[in-house]
Amino acid sequence: MKPVVFCDFDGTITAEETFVAMLKQFAPEAAEETIPKLYTHEISLRSGVRRMLESIPSKAYEEIMEFSRTKEMRPGLLELMDFLDSEKVPFVVVSGGIRIMVETVLGELVNRVAGIYAVDVATDGPNLRVHSEFEEGTELVAKVRVMELYEGDPKIAIGDSVTDLNMAIAAPVVFARDRLSGYLDKQEKPYIPWGDFLDIRDRLREIWKV
Ligand SMILES: [Mg+2]
């Protein structure tokens, strides 16, 4: 069986956090009230992110796309995808953010990924309305549920933060950077540190001996 790669978007594919920055710009009041409560766990990601997104007027949708267009990707994603294609290994993007931001930043690379799982928003009312197929427990997008859709073995997770922790614990092979590394250290779960996607390609090449 072929491996399958699951990759976070925000702060992983993008060089910087883009989703929180977008919320602060387009939902300033809701963000100011809600974000501190997310950090103290007074409110779940599931209800907090929904509340912030649903306070954004639908007419801001175009501007959110424009906002996303200027965001940079971490180096090496194209090279990693070329390598995974040559090995026939699927690359799946799993994001707790909104689909339009993921697709805008990925651009042409959208056609190269096996799937994008993220929050969908409807713009037919006065404010955005949130729809997530994988809403569960405290999460708006339960990344582990997405992993379960794929049969590949081993499952490989790539991430940067606490929202990737469950996915990282469930995956036998993990590439972790930033805060995710700290969380995994605490859980004593082994991981491979990475800086950019070229590191991941090179390391997989070594592991797979290709
Ligand atoms: Mg992230």
Side-chain angles (χ1 to χ4, degrees):
M1 199 178 276
K2 284 283 181 187
V4 53
V5 176
F6 300 92
C7 186
D8 171 49
F9 174 71
D10 211 35
T12 296
I13 287 179
T14 59
E16 289 174 2
E17 290 283 345
T18 55
F19 187 54
V20 168
M22 184 282 284
L23 291 171
K24 284 181 175 164
Q25 178 159 336
F26 292 93
E29 283 168 25
E32 197 182 331
E33 197 203 309
T34 310
I35 290 172
K37 290 184 183 162
L38 290 177
Y39 290 131
T40 57
H41 303 287
E42 259 174 89
I43 190 169
S44 68
L45 278 168
R46 184 175 181 175
S47 63
V49 172
R50 176 183 287 278
R51 182 186 296 175
M52 289 186 279
L53 284 173
E54 295 194 340
S55 77
I56 300 174
S58 292
K59 61 177 164 41
Y61 191 74
E62 288 288 321
E63 276 177 72
I64 293 174
M65 281 174 72
E66 206 52 53
F67 173 91
S68 311
R69 235 166 243 138
T70 58
K71 303 301 173 237
E72 278 183 28
M73 285 191 281
R74 221 173 267 291
L77 185 60
L78 178 63
E79 289 82 353
L80 173 63
M81 280 191 187
D82 284 343
F83 170 66
L84 293 176
D85 273 353
S86 71
E87 296 301 313
K88 302 200 165 39
V89 171
F91 181 88
V92 179
V93 179
V94 197
S95 172
I98 57 175
R99 179 180 304 278
I100 188 63
M101 291 186 74
V102 178
E103 291 182 350
T104 304
V105 171
L106 283 177
E108 299 273 288
L109 290 180
V110 163
N111 305 311
R112 305 279 305 271
V113 302
I116 296 174
Y117 298 85
V119 176
D120 287 295
V121 292
T123 56
D124 53 355
N127 281 8
L128 299 181
R129 269 184 310 114
V130 164
H131 173 73
S132 172
E133 214 179 312
F134 297 94
E135 195 168 339
E136 190 177 272
T138 60
E139 297 177 289
L140 198 49
V141 176
K143 296 184 178 184
V144 172
R145 288 258 325 272
V146 175
M147 288 174 78
E148 288 164 359
L149 301 177
Y150 288 82
E151 288 207 316
D153 185 43
K155 291 178 179 174
I156 300 169
I158 306 174
D160 77 306
S161 185
V162 65
T163 55
D164 306 312
L165 183 56
N166 291 343
M167 173 167 88
I169 287 169
V173 180
V174 182
F175 289 89
R177 54 171 292 133
D178 298 331
R179 280 158 296 165
L180 181 60
S181 315
Y183 289 116
L184 292 174
D185 285 337
K186 275 199 201 110
Q187 304 260 342
E188 295 182 23
K189 161 86 185 183
Y191 62 90
I192 303 164
W194 66 288
D196 64 29
F197 289 106
L198 296 174
D199 299 338
I200 296 178
R201 180 199 61 184
D202 294 346
R203 193 57 191 270
L204 289 176
R205 216 177 236 159
E206 273 173 37
I207 296 172
W208 298 340
K209 300 183 173 63
V210 290

